[in-house]
Structures are given as C-alpha cells and as structure tokens.
Amino acid sequence: MAISRRDFLKNTAAAVALSSLTGISTEAKTQLNEDKNELLKGTKTFKAPCRFCGTGCGVQIHTKEGKIIMTEGDPKAPVNMGLNCIKGYNLSKVLYGKERILYPEIRKNGKLERVSWDEAINYIADRYKKVLKEKGPKAVAIAGSGQWTIPEGYVAAKFMKAGLKSNNIDPNARYCMASAVAAFIRTFQADEPMGSYADFEHADVFVTWGANMAEMHPILFSRLVAQKETTGAILFDLTTRESRTSDEAESVLVFKPQTDLAILNAIANYIVANDLYDKKFVEKNTRIKMAQIEPGYGIDPISAPHLAAMENAQRGRKKAGAGTPMTFDQYKNFLATYTFDYASKISGVPADKIKKLAQAYADPSLKVMSLWTMGFNQHTRGVWCNHLIYNIHLLMGKISEPGNGPFSLTGQPSACGTAREVGTFAHKLPIGVVMKKAHREIAAKIWLGDAKKENEIPSKPGFHMTKMMREFERGNLDIMWVQCCNPFTASPNISRFRDRSLNKDSMLIVSDSYRTASTDLADVVLPAAMWVEKEGFYGNAERRTQHWFQATLPPGEAKEDMWHILAVAEKLGLGHMFPDKDDPQRVKKIFEEYRQFKTGSSKDLAPYEEYVKARGLCWPVVQDKKTGEWKETLWRYNAKYDPYASKALGGKKEGIVFYKAKGKKATMWCCPYEPASEVPDNDYPFWLCTGRVLEHWHTGSMTARIPALHRAVPYAKLEMHPEDAKKLGVKRGEKVKISSRRGTAFYEVDTHGRGRPQKGLVYVPFFDENNPINMLTLDHYDPISKEPDYKKCAVKIEKA
Amino acid sequence: MNENKEKGYGEEIQFTRSSVVVFFIFLFHIFRGFASGRGFKQRPPGAGGNHRKSEVDSYIAEASFLSKCIRCGQCGVVCPTQERGEETAKAIQFCKSGFDQGTPYIEPRKAACIMCVDKPCVVACPTDALDLGKLDIEQSIMGTAEIVSPKGCLAIQGLRCEVCYNRCPLIGDAIKLEKRVNRRTKVHIIYEPVVDSDVCTGCGICEQVCIADEAVIKVRQYYPPFKDPDFYKFKGSS
Ligand code: SF4
Ligand code: SF4
Ligand code: SF4
Ligand code: SF4
C-alpha cells in the first residue's frame, strides 16, 4: 500500500475525533491545519491515478516536505503495473507549470484584478441571487468535466439539480463520449463497458475503429501489442489516416470519412446472409429496432447558412432517437444492400479486406475485441456507429466474455467515474434520468430527505454542452460557470463563442488551475487546486473507481473546485445540503452519500475505506456474504463473474444475461449509411480531421506547461498526403493557409510524420492553444447524443 | 547491429602518409573536445562536401570544411528555425573561440537542424564549405544519433515515450522501433528506439526533444561502415 498505515490510521483518528463535532467547528479547522503541517513533514509516498487519460494508470507520488519530488508508475496498479506514458511520467511537473492561477480575480474595468476569496464569493453569490430572482434557474448553467473528481461532480450536480432546481449542467464529456453513452443506454439500458482491461490478455483479434490507441491509450496499446507478440493475435485498424496504430496492424482499412457505417453494416450482412450468427444467443438476448432515418445534424443556421435548407428539410421529422420494432427477416432484408462490393465502393476499401475482417468477426473460434474512441463518438452519426458495432458482437454472441467484447474507450480520467456514473449531464441523475419520476424520487430521497419532493427536481433536461455554449453566445444565459475544462478552445467553431458582444452582461465564471482562453474571457476567475492537491476519486474506462489522498498543498490561495461551489452554496443558503467546505472528512462524507445511489442498483460501490486500500475496484463491487470481502466485477452480464447476472439467471454460475435491458434483451438498432453534413466540394476540397498526439493532452492547458512535453511537441503541424502537397506546390516544413467556412489558420506542413492521412484529407491536432484548429471545425452534432463531429468538415488549403 | 561493426572501425583504420595530416587535425579536435567536454562538433548540412553517406570520411570532411569556411556567417543569417517558433535559438551558432572561431556549428539540445527542404544554409554559403551538390537534405551527414545511455531511456524501461522516433524527420527509417515483451510485467511491450546510422542525417531533432532530463539520445560523429578497406588508402600507398 502506498499510503502508510500511519497515515491511514491518522485519518481514521481524525474521522473519529470529528464524529463528535457538529457544524463548522474550530477543531475541524485545527485538524485540517494539523493535516497540512503533517503533509509538510518528511518524505511520504501516496498512490493516485494519473491526471490525464481515461486509461487510469496508477502512480506513486513521493513528497518531501510537502512538495512532490517524484512520481513513478505504481507496480501494484493492475492497470499499468508500474508503467506510464510520458504524460504520466511527467506528472510531478504538472502542478508546477508557469501561469498557475493563484488568487481569485474579478474583471474590473475590463481587467482581471486580484480580490479576496470573500469578495469573489460574495460577488458571485449576489449575482446568483439576483438572476435566480429575476429570471429563474434556467438562466444559470455549469459547464463541468470528466476531470472533476467524483465528489466534485456529485456536489455540482446536487447543487444545480436539487439546490438551484436547474438541469443546466453538462460536462465537456459531451464532446467526448456522449455518443457512446447514448448507444449503451439505447442498447443495454445501462451505461459503460461490460468488459475490462483484462480482456487484452484473452483476445485473438483486435479491431480498432477510429482509435489511434498507440498514442491515445499508450499503456493499453502496449498490452495489446504484447498480446500480439506472445500469442500471435492480430490487429485490424480502421481509420481515415494511417497512424502509429496502423503500423502494428496486420490489416489497415483506410476508409473515406463517414463510410464506417457502410463497412459495419457490410460485416453484419455477411454474418446474417451466410447464416453465421449465433441463433440461440440472438433469439434469447436481443431484439431489433429500426432507427429514425435522416434525423438531422444539429446544424445551427447561424454557423452554417449553406446547409440551412438541409437541416430544415430534416427538422420536421420524428424524434431523432425514435425507433420502430423490426423482425429479424426485415433486418436481413435491410442489410442485403450492404454487400462487400457496395461497402467497398463507397468506402474505398478493397472488398477482400472488408471480407477478411468480417470473417474474423464471424469465426466462432476467435475471440474479438473491438475498441473505439473519438472516430466513432465524434461523428454526426456517432450513436449509430456504436450501435452497429454492438450489432456485430451481439449477432455472434461475442460479448461479456474474457477477450470477447465491444470496448468503448474514454479520453478523460473520470469520464466514466464523474460524467457518466455521477450523472453530471443535463438529463442525468446519479441513478437514472431526470425525465423519470421513479429516478427523481430516489434522488429526492437522498438529496432532499423525502421522495415526495421529487417535483422539486426539474423533469426537463437542461442545456447540453453544445446548446449551453450557443445560448451563452446569444446572451440567453446570465451565469455560466466553467469548471475543469476549457470550452473556449475545445468547442467546435470557437470563434463564434469567443465573441462576447451579445453576452456582455452575462457573467462567465471560470475555475481553473492554469490560464486558458476560457479564463481570458472570464469575468471571474477562481484558482483551482488540481489533482493531488486535493483528495478525490476518478473512475476510468473499465469501471475502476480509484481513490487518492491529498499529497501536497495547492499554491497561493487555490482551492478545490468543490470548495468554490460549496462556498457559493453556503451564501445561497444551501449549506445544509452539504458537508462544510473545510471539513477534512468532506470527501468521505460525500462519497458515502453518493454510494447510497448505487447500492443495490447493480452499479454498487464499496465503502470509502476499501478504496483507500485498493488500487481501484471495478463496479459493481459486491460484498461476499461469507467472507465479508468486497469483490469487484471484471465482466458484467456474465454469471460467472457478475453476481447480478447470476441472480438474474436464478443463481446459475454461467451464461450471459443483459439484466438491465428491457425484457433482458439488448436492442440491435438497424441504422443505414448516411452522408456527412458538410462534405468537400469545389470550394473546400479537403476533409479536415482533428485529434491528439501522444505528448499532449486535450487543449494542452496542462501538458504544454510541462517543459519536457512542450519541447517534445511545441506546436501543431498539419499532416498531409505527399501527393496532395505536391499538387499544391508545398514542401514539408512550409506554411499553408487552411480555411473552412468558419475560420482560417496557418500551419506548417508535414508530409512524412507519424500520421499519414489518406489523399484528400488533412489532420491537425487540437492541443495548440496559440493556434487552435477549432477555429475551423464544425459545430454540427449527432442529433441523438448532441456530440459534435470534430473528425470531418470541408476545408481548402493554399500555399501561404 | 552495425553499431558493433562501427566500434571496430577505429582499430582497423590504416593510417597512410596523407592521412597523417588529417590525423593530427583530428587529434587536435579530440584534445579540444576533452577540454570542452564534447569531442565532436555538429556542422550544418553539407559541411565538407557532397559525399554520399556510405562514402564520407568525417575526419576528412571536417578538415575540408575548416579549410573552406571563410567565417562569413551567411548560413546563420538564413537558418530559419527561430522564426518557426519551435526553437528559441537558431540552429546555426558560431564558435566563439578556438582555432575554428567563427565557423558554424549546431547544438541540437538547444536548437536542432530541422532539415529545410530548400537547404537555405547550403545555398547561402559563398564557398563550397557547405555543399550538397545534387543530394537531398535527407542525404546530408551532420553526424549520427546514438542512444548514449540506454538505462536512462524511458522507452527501454518499458514506458511509452518514443518521442525521438515520433519526431524524427526520417521516422521509421533513421530510427526504428524494436519490439520485445516486457519481461517483468509479461503483458506490455517495450519499444526500443534503434538508430540506423546509414540513414540518420544527424539533424539532432531527437536529441533536442528527448524527454529525459539530459538527452539520452545524442548526435555523435558518423563513421562510415567499414565496407571497402581500400577506400581509406590514398592511391600509391603501400
Ligand atoms: S496519460 Fe493515460 S496512459 Fe499515460 S500514464 Fe496517464 S493514464 Fe497512463
Ligand atoms: S537545413 Fe535549415 S535548419 Fe538546418 S542548418 Fe540549414 S538552414 Fe538551419
Ligand atoms: S539525428 Fe535523430 S532525428 Fe535526426 S535523422 Fe537522425 S535519428 Fe532522426
Ligand atoms: S525520447 Fe529519449 S527517453 Fe524517449 S525513447 Fe527517445 S531516447 Fe528514450
């Protein structure tokens, strides 16, 4: 254990000491101060999950006199066994970069000026009071994050939904895996992957769909390649740009953007037409629905006048998410169009390559793991892509077994833990959704002390992130509070949002650790403690909930994001709903309250202390009645591993059952290929795809401030096919001007980099805050998940 | 690996009458090198002539470069690395003291040569001190990279780094990744960066970007592979 026994005992002692105290006590404060002094003494070792990607590697943090002197991979962490990527390796420096925000600031006469915490909190609270009185709770919003710790997200959700009675809270995870969430819910009526990282050591075939795992999930990819080396497993890579992942693949299928839909259907067609599917499994565990076709693209006429007609034509249709039941024969007929030749024709992938992939999926002796991230999710038909991959796995019954399964990877360290499980979305609750009375009752009971108060939680979903940005832009939101994210760099088509002319009178509050484009636009900036400067929990992509203790003090007057909200809540008279903001036991208390939502729901969490001991636990974590031991679940829906599945099958110890799904049957959604909203034409002949690089994380607000990582990749370059470059008369290293209908930027061209785009497509990573590619990207979104498409829009390129 | 072969080279070289002169120049360099802590100076592309990689004798090339460089500073004027925002310095610096005072050199950890396709430094050079003839910048030889302390390399420890590889302008050719399964964890792969010194130009980008506190991959002098022993003999020597 990384936390020494003594530390642990000391914390328990503190808990005991405090249990006899009530309210804000001076003792509590003293205790905290003592803790602080304790932190500053001698050398100590702590455990924590990595601050960056959704892999959730464990690290050990060594401190000396309260300062982090070193971090290293935690050999006991099952996720990474002591290894890290270079972002994790450089974690110790993430707290000590240039431009940490140290004090609260308020914009006065156009300039951000340092103020005291009291002044800042009073200023915010007064404004809240005024707005809530005059315009009601719909005029305020919080833009949160999958980088919030679980308790932070929980407090923010409770503050908004039960405190202010507003559902206007949504995380940046909307930009990241909302499509995955929607598809999970629509297919299984339960979010999050069934498998775990242990799948990597069991699979025979890996298929990466629009996921450059080699760079984005480096440690998991390391496991994937090791499995290939040791067992001869093979990798198919489906992509629009060859990457480091493609370098390891036995077969690379480079398809034209958006045509993944056709390839997915062609695989299903092969399986169905040749009667290769697992009939028993399909009959017992699935049903079929036809998706609403042409559901629209979330086009905003303001930003895309050239497509307004298209959006209008589709707007009158039924709800984007609607579906009509379908028989298997109808499904079979629907699929019949998707022959390999047809898929090959629209995708540009040779038919025999698609066939080989289909055969791998269809071979009952091969265990197949499909992995995907933003290529599927950031897609105007992202939910459909997710559906179509489940269809293939369900048809073959290759799911919920070691080595067999669809695995949706995440990008943020707590996209699962905070955004999805806590439910910091505009429509979600810690269990269920705001639209359902039964779910509101559960929330009302825990949050407001009485299930009958369910009507106090608004039943209509609030603004999702994309909508929130648009409403803020138009001045329809009086207060927008941004925490743990940087939407003014990360949102698509940002120039429209950076223009504050229509919302001069609105208040933008930004809680952050480093200065970003978002803090530059803010009216109030609050300094945030980050990562191990506070205690917290993250939940990674395999449902693993990981705890860490505070290991060091935040700089200046920085406080954790949760403290910011609690301070305002207190002023608004909502203090009674939460532990005191300075209570040293606050994280534990909040976690235990949150845990009530999950207990018995099949998403059970263990008590706080278990997480203090373990290197994370994958939920459902159920207590063994005999031994009293808390056991994690690595494969859900499989009676051999998941106690809930076993229960649903009457105590049997084997078999697969989708016990959360309606009628215990997963829904296979029948979705056609539909073109992208904006496609290249004569004026804008290239596709633009955006993404990340191994060295940087998201908008670079943290990694770009780590000198070694900044030195490694100091600025974004534009990747282009050498033949395209030749045609344009540009050479590697020269600058080009790239423009879309929304904006213009300049980049240096690379024709021989680690990524090799197909002809007609260029790729630019989005980490470069000085030269953000999101000036050009498209703010169209999947009409079901509301997740924008960052992977395709039309651009033109000229020699600069 | 040809690394081993190269190491043998120093012993097998046959000193001939004319190369004795070169040898003394070389010796001088070594002594200077000891004094300055660096036995080798990375010169701009094309220093010492338009040799193809397998033919160059870097000692002769250095001597030839020194005899032709008129210390005019033109190459430094045109070197564009500073403008690209990446480096804070120009790749081309000038020696401030010593017998080669005023000649250009590159200190890659500060600012590596980014291998401009148009070779502006070579074009600007008024003599043929910098001369690539018809050769591409990718065939130039400024030295060759080498992992100098494998223990310090993160990738060799099993971490996912490979920054040198990712940033090498000749990715996959000058640096390759050799894979092996991590013997400790058994479920991870180790990507060891391996330089092919026959392809590497010695641009130094890998040295500049290496993630370790002190670069573990560094540009050193290039020794041609020991292919044809006669090549190193001057005609007429016994
Ligand atoms: S960034 Fe991701 S892969 Fe890298 S150390 Fe952190 S969690 Fe692991
Ligand atoms: S090739 Fe370009 S970067 Fe390299 S030394 Fe010459 S001018 Fe400078
Ligand atoms: S010096 Fe390094 S970066 Fe440059 S070509 Fe050689 S291996 Fe590649
Ligand atoms: S950048 Fe440095 S530490 Fe990283 S793999 Fe290359 S040589 Fe090793």
Side-chain angles (χ1 to χ4, degrees), chain A residues 80-115:
Chain A
N80 56 316
M81 302 181 195
L83 304 174
N84 282 138
C85 79
I86 40 166
K87 293 186 293 299
Y89 173 78
N90 279 294
L91 267 169
S92 62
K93 295 170 193 129
V94 71
L95 307 176
Y96 307 117
K98 269 190 226 153
E99 298 189 295
R100 271 300 294 260
I101 301 169
L102 302 177
Y103 308 101
E105 289 164 2
I106 295 180
R107 193 171 295 278
K108 294 179 180 167
N109 306 320
K111 260 187 73 193
L112 285 170
E113 279 176 24
R114 178 179 167 179
V115 295

Side-chain angles (χ1 to χ4, degrees), chain A residues 412-640:
Chain A
Q412 298 191 82
S414 202
C416 283
T418 307
R420 296 159 76 162
E421 288 156 28
V422 172
T424 53
F425 287 96
H427 65 292
K428 287 267 297 166
L429 290 168
I431 276 291
V433 288
V434 293
M435 295 82 87
K436 289 220 171 103
K437 191 170 171 224
H439 297 161
R440 286 199 306 276
E441 281 174 353
I442 301 174
K445 182 145 184 278
I446 297 173
W447 282 350
L448 302 164
D450 187 354
K452 285 202 204 82
K453 290 191 178 164
E454 94 9 75
N455 54 358
E456 291 189 19
I457 299 169
S459 60
K460 210 174 145 245
F463 296 144
H464 55 79
M465 193 78 182
T466 316
K467 179 108 172 126
M468 199 188 288
M469 292 297 284
R470 289 181 184 178
E471 294 297 326
F472 182 72
E473 175 200 9
R474 286 166 202 165
N476 297 340
L477 271 177
D478 284 70
I479 302 179
M480 182 159 96
W481 192 340
V482 174
Q483 286 205 324
C484 261
C485 67
N486 181 12
F488 292 89
T489 301
S491 296
N493 190 9
I494 36 170
S495 49
R496 63 178 287 196
F497 302 120
R498 285 185 177 183
D499 175 4
R500 290 206 55 188
S501 52
L502 294 178
N503 58 33
K504 280 195 290 291
D505 301 328
S506 306
M507 178 158 81
L508 177 64
I509 310 165
V510 179
S511 302
D512 211 332
S513 308
Y514 285 110
R515 298 211 182 268
T516 63
S518 305
T519 62
D520 288 348
L521 289 163
D523 302 301
V524 183
V525 174
L526 302 176
M530 64 191 292
W531 193 45
V532 292
E533 290 166 358
K534 59 192 177 191
E535 182 184 359
F537 284 88
Y538 274 163
N540 78 355
E542 58 164 354
R543 295 172 280 108
R544 185 177 296 280
T545 313
Q546 313 200 66
H547 170 263
W548 74 90
F549 277 121
Q550 182 182 11
T552 182
L553 302 182
E557 292 176 8
K559 303 266 192 196
E560 63 200 57
D561 299 66
M562 180 163 86
W563 192 96
H564 303 179
I565 291 187
L566 290 178
V568 172
E570 213 172 77
K571 291 274 186 248
L572 297 179
L574 301 170
H576 61 278
M577 295 176 72
F578 304 98
D580 184 75
K581 61 184 188 299
D582 292 312
D583 180 346
Q585 294 297 308
R586 62 195 176 280
V587 168
K588 181 179 174 177
K589 287 180 185 167
I590 290 164
F591 185 79
E592 285 298 333
E593 180 184 314
Y594 164 58
R595 200 164 81 83
Q596 294 174 35
F597 278 94
K598 304 287 178 184
T599 304
S601 73
S602 83
K603 299 187 167 185
D604 308 47
L605 299 169
Y608 173 88
E609 285 76 15
E610 296 299 314
Y611 293 99
V612 171
K613 286 189 279 186
R615 297 305 200 275
L617 295 166
C618 299
W619 60 259
V621 193
V622 181
Q623 192 172 28
D624 189 308
K625 294 240 165 59
K626 279 182 228 133
T627 61
E629 192 192 338
W630 289 86
K631 279 194 177 151
E632 63 176 355
T633 305
L634 294 186
W635 289 277
R636 278 160 93 201
Y637 309 137
N638 184 331
K640 196 167 164 195

Side-chain angles (χ1 to χ4, degrees), chain B residues 145 168-170 174-175 195 200-206 219:
Chain B
C168 171
L170 303 173
I175 305 192
V195 177
C200 169
T201 62
C203 69
I205 289 181
C206 52
V219 179

Side-chain angles (χ1 to χ4, degrees), chain A residues 276-422:
Chain A
L276 301 169
Y277 62 99
D278 183 338
K279 292 187 193 67
K280 262 220 248 84
F281 186 91
V282 169
E283 202 157 296
K284 188 171 148 261
N285 294 309
T286 67
R287 62 182 143 151
I288 308 170
K289 269 190 187 172
M290 179 70 208
Q292 170 63 49
I293 59 159
E294 299 186 349
Y297 295 100
I299 295 167
D300 186 340
I302 295 184
S303 69
H306 66 298
L307 295 173
M310 178 160 132
E311 181 67 6
N312 281 339
Q314 303 198 352
R315 187 158 288 155
R317 284 182 218 289
K318 269 214 280 179
K319 258 179 78 189
T324 31
M326 203 181 193
T327 66
F328 198 85
D329 284 334
Q330 284 171 322
Y331 176 52
K332 190 172 177 175
N333 284 341
F334 163 86
L335 285 176
T337 352
Y338 293 92
T339 59
F340 290 136
D341 286 335
Y342 174 71
S344 168
K345 210 177 116 212
I346 36 182
S347 68
V349 182
D352 62 318
K353 277 199 169 186
I354 308 178
K355 187 172 177 188
K356 284 232 171 67
L357 172 62
Q359 283 169 333
Y361 271 115
D363 185 338
S365 69
L366 294 177
K367 292 189 171 157
V368 188
M369 198 176 174
S370 303
L371 298 134
W372 68 93
T373 34
M374 297 312 137
F376 267 4
N377 296 348
Q378 295 176 338
H379 194 309
T380 49
R381 294 289 176 268
V383 177
W384 286 10
C385 281
N386 278 264
H387 281 320
L388 295 180
I389 196 83
Y390 293 136
N391 291 358
I392 297 171
H393 280 270
L394 288 168
L395 281 169
M396 295 308 305
K398 293 189 179 186
I399 192 162
S400 288
E401 277 172 357
N404 251 339
F407 202 107
S408 155
L409 296 160
T410 55
Q412 298 191 82
S414 202
C416 283
T418 307
R420 296 159 76 162
E421 288 156 28
V422 172

Side-chain angles (χ1 to χ4, degrees), chain B residues 42 53 108 112-113 115 138 142-146 164-165 167-171 173-176 194-197 199-209 217-219:
Chain B
Q42 183 184 344
K53 189 126 212 182
C113 163
M115 287 174 50
E138 297 181 355
M142 294 169 258
T144 189
E146 183 183 47
C164 51
Y165 172 85
R167 286 293 315 277
C168 171
L170 303 173
I171 178 173
D173 296 322
I175 305 192
K176 296 182 169 67
V194 177
V195 177
D196 181 343
S197 59
V199 182
C200 169
T201 62
C203 69
I205 289 181
C206 52
E207 178 173 341
Q208 178 177 2
V209 299
I217 188 164
K218 283 188 175 162
V219 179

